[in-house]
Amino acid sequence: GLSVTGIATTLAARTAFEHRAVVVGTTREQLLAGLKCLADGALSDDVVTGTAGTGTTVLVFPGQGSQWNAMARGLYASAPVFRARLDECARALSAYIDWDLLEVLLTDDGASLLARVDVVQPALFAVMVSLAALWQSHGLRPDAVLGHSQGEIAAACVAGALSLEDAARVVALRSQAIRALAGQGGMVSIALSVDLVRPRLEQWNGDIGIAAINGPSSTVVSGSAQALDQLQAVFETDGIRTWRIPVDYASHSQHVDRIRDRVLDLLAPIRPRTSNIRFYSTVTAQQIDTTELNAEYWFRNLRNTVEFEATTRQLLTDGYHTFIESSPHPVLAPGVQETIDSTDSTARSIGTLRRHHGDLSSFLRSAGEAFTTGATTHWSPAHQPDGGGQVTLPTYPFQRAHYWLTPDTGRRDIGAIGLTPAGHPLLGAVTEGATSTVLSGRISLTTHPWLADHQVADTIVLPGAAFVELAIHATDQVGYGTIRELTVQTPLILPEHGAIRLRVEVGEPHTDDGARPIRIDARPDTNAGTSWTCHATGILDTDTPTPDWDLTTWPPTGAQPLDISYDTLTTHGYHYGPTFQGLHKMWRHNDHIYAEITLPTDPDTYAIHPA
């Protein structure tokens, strides 16, 4: 019987403690479902939890690459603050463009113009500035701004270093000048550190240069189209991943020198001013006085290498804790997190919207993430359609101690009933027969709660590594040395409530080579009549293998770094919680994968923990 907005308003007015949660929903039913997931400790896309840290916040603005056709439509219809700021941007840009910003951003016909550099850059500028206004309306008070290439124009506007009118002049007229370079060059992203890329560019005799250094293993080069074709062929032959950025000009290279006089003339009237938010320049890789953001600076911003990684490291050194990318799709957030992970910092990188997810709910999930990490100072509904007055709600309890009995799910002494303990966290008992050995166990989210961190397509699935771990223990149990093969035939889905019984059986040795078959079965822990499902089968050998790797040098000489992005996995339906986010670095060398992993949980007595 209470107003949903009244409940939200009341909760938002309470003290924000260290441990925080936000539930997002458009209906009462969705909010109740999210609240139940929070209470049960279950995972939900509508629930964000976190622990507020200390430190300061940076708003990050990317260059091109985050755009998509409907990137502004959802928020323009549902977020008045965003709509008002976008309208202001449209009026400011109209003095310099011959196309309509709102038509480009809000209609399918207009969206076709986003292929033009003189359209996509002003359009992205307007969306990023409007997203920043929406962030600020939800309690974010950025302590600093950071921009990448053209993103620095939006950063300067949000910081107050450029008026909206001056920023509109810079982004519109400079992008028009860039059209003179169209068709003469390009840009390529390479999944290597700049120290590994730079020496390999010498063979092109200056025709290719470093355009941007985005992270420890993310470098962008620019140059003539022909030279870049050659570079991609050479690098990909060596197994190095490259990606051609969809532009036909070479920003941040000597090609830009052709339009220097034109840019300086067009931008001469701007009047930069001292900002009230600190501005970290990716041209100089340090904080600068924003009165320096004149026409000459904006040419250097287009001509010089983007020192994004170095500037991010400077911000981390200066104590910044949360980096929020104010864009319609997170193109810089993974690189920022990679830089963070290469240091001892506990900072966080957060996006705003995602491609094809640009509505208010998507924004509020990101705002919830910022709130739970301590980046926002308050949380309040932007508008209150059904009455925003506070209502009476239960107070917070002072204790979380329970005084009633709970079921005992701990391990017991099974020797009393004639069984041998299995000595393994997933298995309880061993039964040795005349021709086979059977290991049995019982697992659930109550006994093994960390398994809830492994979800595929919103379904909790036992990780494949758990089958390997079960096979390893069975191999040791029967005194064998090798798992010759193991095939997972059917995924094992774990129920939100209830348990699963496991059965690992090692069969009789083969007469020809002594190998023994192994199979892993499971069934719901309901009643004895439930049938078993075979999930994995394999073969065990008596031989013990000799390692065929050498870890004297780490990583091994010639190993190629591989990209690691849990955000990318999420877009493909793989939702890994904290327990399964221990993979930090990875390399490929010949037929081997080398990795650095930190197990974020107690290893217990596993041979190799399934996480």
Side-chain angles (χ1 to χ4, degrees):
L2 295 177
S3 154
V4 169
T5 308
I7 295 171
T9 303
T10 305
L11 293 173
R14 291 186 168 181
T15 300
F17 295 113
E18 180 183 9
H19 297 277
R20 304 178 181 182
V22 172
V23 179
V24 178
T26 56
T27 66
R28 181 182 299 273
E29 291 72 22
Q30 187 180 6
L31 290 165
L32 283 170
L35 194 61
K36 185 178 186 304
C37 286
L38 174 63
D40 293 344
L43 297 178
S44 170
D45 289 339
D46 296 326
V47 179
V48 182
T49 60
T51 304
T54 58
T56 43
T57 303
V58 186
L59 266 184
V60 183
F61 301 88
Q64 284 181 234
S66 65
Q67 69 271 12
W68 49 284
N69 286 356
M71 57 185 169
R73 298 180 196 178
L75 289 179
Y76 192 84
S78 59
V81 171
F82 179 89
R83 180 169 61 249
R85 189 57 168 164
L86 198 66
D87 288 341
E88 291 174 356
C89 290
R91 288 192 291 271
L93 286 167
S94 65
Y96 307 105
I97 60 178
D98 58 2
W99 45 274
D100 184 85
L101 175 70
L102 297 182
E103 181 181 356
V104 166
L105 292 176
L106 305 179
T107 70
D108 290 337
D109 291 339
S112 62
L113 293 177
L114 287 173
R116 286 170 36 185
V117 63
D118 61 319
V119 175
V120 68
Q121 290 197 0
L124 268 176
F125 161 83
V127 172
M128 292 191 294
V129 167
S130 301
L131 286 174
L134 189 59
W135 272 111
Q136 289 171 312
S137 75
H138 281 77
L140 180 72
R141 298 292 181 264
D143 300 285
V145 292
L146 171 66
H148 186 290
S149 191
Q150 75 144 55
E152 283 204 315
I153 306 171
C157 181
V158 171
L162 292 180
S163 66
L164 180 59
E165 291 69 26
D166 276 355
R169 170 186 283 272
V170 174
V171 73
L173 297 186
R174 196 182 74 166
S175 63
Q176 291 167 21
I178 291 174
R179 293 190 71 182
L181 305 176
Q184 301 176 30
M187 304 178 77
V188 169
S189 177
I190 305 171
L192 281 180
S193 70
V194 67
D195 292 336
L196 294 177
V197 171
R198 185 174 278 118
R200 301 189 61 162
L201 301 183
E202 295 176 358
Q203 59 184 297
W204 284 281
N205 299 317
D207 199 9
I208 300 177
I210 304 295
I213 307 168
N214 293 334
S217 60
S218 178
T219 305
V220 178
V221 298
S222 61
S224 68
Q226 181 180 6
L228 292 176
D229 290 340
Q230 296 170 0
L231 176 142
Q232 284 192 279
V234 170
F235 275 51
E236 291 180 7
T237 298
D238 294 341
I240 301 169
R241 187 174 63 83
T242 67
W243 177 66
R244 193 67 164 259
I245 298 173
V247 296
D248 62 349
Y249 54 90
S251 289
H252 311 290
S253 75
Q254 59 189 5
H255 289 221
V256 179
D257 291 333
R258 290 182 46 213
I259 62 171
R260 180 179 186 277
D261 292 341
R262 177 66 174 157
V263 170
L264 295 182
D265 181 57
L266 289 172
L267 306 189
I270 67 171
R271 294 293 178 265
R273 56 202 183 189
T274 300
S275 65
N276 52 15
I277 297 174
R278 290 183 283 279
F279 183 96
Y280 279 73
S281 166
T282 50
V283 176
T284 65
Q286 60 186 1
Q287 182 187 346
I288 66 170
D289 180 350
T290 53
T291 58
E292 301 173 17
L293 302 183
N294 53 19
E296 176 65 32
Y297 179 87
W298 294 114
F299 172 76
R300 291 165 56 207
N301 164 275
L302 182 63
R303 170 65 174 87
N304 293 5
T305 298
V306 181
E307 299 287 352
F308 189 78
E309 180 191 0
T311 314
T312 302
R313 290 188 184 277
Q314 184 61 54
L315 283 155
L316 291 171
T317 299
D318 291 348
Y320 289 87
H321 177 265
T322 306
F323 293 74
I324 298 177
E325 182 175 338
S326 180
S327 75
H329 185 77
V331 293
L332 292 179
V336 171
Q337 192 63 52
E338 184 185 11
T339 301
I340 292 170
D341 292 343
S342 69
T343 70
D344 293 330
S345 173
T346 58
R348 288 285 304 278
S349 178
I350 299 171
T352 299
L353 302 178
R354 290 189 176 277
R355 194 164 280 114
H356 310 307
H357 296 280
D359 58 6
L360 184 59
S361 292
S362 299
F363 171 81
L364 289 177
R365 290 184 184 94
S366 296
E369 188 175 357
F371 176 75
T372 59
T373 59
T376 53
T377 55
H378 71 272
W379 183 276
S380 61
H383 53 96
Q384 303 167 344
D386 59 347
Q390 293 195 25
V391 296
T392 301
L393 296 178
T395 59
Y396 290 136
F398 287 97
Q399 299 287 342
R400 279 194 64 119
H402 294 169
Y403 293 95
W404 51 87
L405 297 177
T406 57
D408 179 12
T409 59
R411 301 171 189 168
R412 299 176 177 85
D413 178 13
I414 62 174
I417 55 175
L419 296 175
T420 303
H424 191 273
L426 298 177
L427 299 167
V430 181
T431 303
E432 295 184 7
T435 59
S436 67
T437 298
V438 176
L439 299 94
S440 58
R442 180 181 180 277
I443 60 172
S444 70
L445 298 186
T446 300
T447 57
H448 303 82
W450 54 271
L451 289 171
D453 282 355
H454 188 271
Q455 293 197 33
V456 180
D458 298 323
T459 302
I460 301 173
V461 179
L462 187 73
F467 292 114
V468 178
E469 171 62 15
L470 292 170
I472 289 174
H473 190 71
T475 305
D476 292 341
Q477 190 72 34
V478 299
Y480 273 42
T482 307
I483 302 172
R484 182 196 297 177
E485 61 181 63
L486 186 70
T487 303
V488 178
Q489 298 184 347
T490 304
L492 176 51
I493 297 174
L494 299 175
E496 183 176 351
H497 303 288
I500 294 290
R501 286 197 176 274
L502 295 174
R503 187 175 188 275
V504 183
E505 179 178 2
V506 180
E508 184 176 6
H510 294 165
T511 56
D512 51 348
D513 61 357
R516 300 182 70 169
I518 182 174
R519 63 179 287 156
I520 302 173
D521 299 272
R523 67 169 175 81
D525 185 23
T526 51
N527 56 65
T530 307
S531 60
W532 292 85
T533 299
C534 179
H535 291 278
T537 59
I539 298 174
L540 309 183
D541 273 350
T542 56
D543 296 334
T544 300
T546 301
D548 62 343
W549 57 81
D550 179 11
L551 303 183
T552 305
T553 303
W554 184 260
T557 304
Q560 300 299 323
L562 301 177
D563 274 355
I564 296 173
S565 172
Y566 287 102
D567 286 341
T568 299
L569 290 174
T570 299
T571 63
H572 293 290
Y574 297 90
H575 298 278
Y576 290 164
T579 306
F580 287 86
Q581 292 192 20
L583 181 59
H584 299 297
K585 295 180 181 179
M586 190 160 59
W587 299 264
R588 175 183 284 113
H589 185 250
N590 298 330
D591 294 330
H592 288 99
I593 297 291
Y594 297 86
E596 290 184 4
I597 303 169
T598 300
L599 188 64
T601 186
D602 182 1
D604 209 333
T605 54
Y606 297 92
I608 302 175
H609 195 288

